[in-house]
Amino acid sequence: FPVLAYALDESPRWLLEAGRTLDAVAVFRRLADKSGAGGDAKVDAAIRAIAADADAPPPKEHPFGVVACKRLAAVLAQWRLSLRVWVIWFSLGAVYYGSTLTIARTFDKNDDDDDVRCRFRYDVIFSIFTASLVGKAIAIQLIDVVGRVRMICAACLAYVAFFLPIAVGVDSFTGLYISLYGVLAGAVVAGSCAWVQIPELYRTEIRSTA
């Protein structure tokens, strides 16, 4: 992981804030080329506009303590947004990890309530977790067509619809399998779309605080 992380480009937002405009421009150009937008006139004009600022005098540097206090003040002033992001992430985390725990305990081969010695039906559990791949594929295909908010809402509704049979006590293997497969796929779609949408909406300080 550290090796792969080191191979990633540095955040152009951070590079600009650090006064490293030319480095940020180089990253923007690489990202544009990788995404197929390298020949787009609007993208090129935007990058050139950023590059033009490289000749501007660097911003006045402040002591670390002053910078830290300013960032803290900005975070406190926008605590409502951070709280909103926190609630979204907490809810999606509860939905996803609650789903995984439900799947594991549903296909537990024990005939008792022993929470220590569990024997699982790994073949069934692992096959259900292919729903993660299905959910990702759905998100990739539709997120830019349908939109972030609609995708998250639709995925949450699908999650509820698939969870209802479990809530009312369906006990057939096929019913449980289909329901849990849909539950996990819905949770993955909602979480994936939220992870795309939130960085597009909120500044780093708000997200890191959340």
Side-chain angles (χ1 to χ4, degrees):
F1 176 76
V3 174
L4 293 176
Y6 186 78
L8 294 173
D9 288 314
E10 182 55 86
S11 163
R13 180 199 294 269
W14 179 82
L15 290 171
L16 289 173
E17 290 179 351
R20 295 168 55 183
T21 305
L22 292 179
D23 290 334
V25 167
V27 173
F28 279 129
R29 292 200 183 282
R30 282 197 295 274
L31 294 177
D33 291 338
K34 290 177 182 177
S35 63
D40 189 296
K42 291 182 179 179
V43 172
D44 186 60
I47 295 175
R48 281 190 283 106
I50 295 171
D53 292 336
D55 297 329
K60 182 181 178 181
E61 294 188 3
H62 297 284
F64 175 77
V66 174
V67 174
C69 289
K70 286 185 175 181
R71 286 184 176 273
L72 179 60
V75 167
L76 292 176
Q78 297 178 311
W79 66 270
R80 289 184 180 85
L81 291 178
S82 289
L83 180 60
R84 182 185 304 171
V85 175
W86 186 91
V87 170
I88 292 172
W89 279 342
F90 179 87
S91 302
L92 290 173
V95 164
Y96 178 78
Y97 291 110
S99 301
T100 60
L101 290 173
T102 302
I103 291 168
R105 293 315 303 262
T106 299
F107 297 104
D108 158 5
K109 292 193 291 186
N110 284 14
D111 295 327
D112 53 36
D113 293 327
D114 188 345
D115 287 330
V116 178
R117 300 173 181 174
C118 296
R119 295 179 303 124
F120 300 107
R121 297 190 57 179
Y122 291 109
D123 55 335
V124 178
I125 292 173
F126 291 160
S127 68
I128 286 181
F129 271 86
T130 61
S132 296
L133 299 176
V134 173
K136 295 287 186 185
I138 292 172
I140 290 170
Q141 292 298 319
L142 297 180
I143 188 170
D144 287 331
V145 177
V146 178
R148 282 79 167 129
V149 174
R150 288 182 179 178
M151 280 293 293
I152 294 172
C153 292
C156 290
L157 289 174
Y159 178 94
V160 172
F162 279 106
F163 197 83
L164 280 177
I166 303 170
V168 299
V170 63
D171 57 1
S172 70
F173 175 85
T174 303
L176 283 171
Y177 188 95
I178 294 174
S179 295
L180 288 170
Y181 201 95
V183 160
L184 185 58
V188 168
V189 172
S192 299
C193 293
W195 276 108
V196 170
Q197 182 197 27
I198 287 174
E200 292 176 340
L201 289 176
Y202 301 115
R203 290 178 56 81
T204 304
E205 291 87 351
I206 294 171
R207 291 183 282 115
S208 57
T209 303

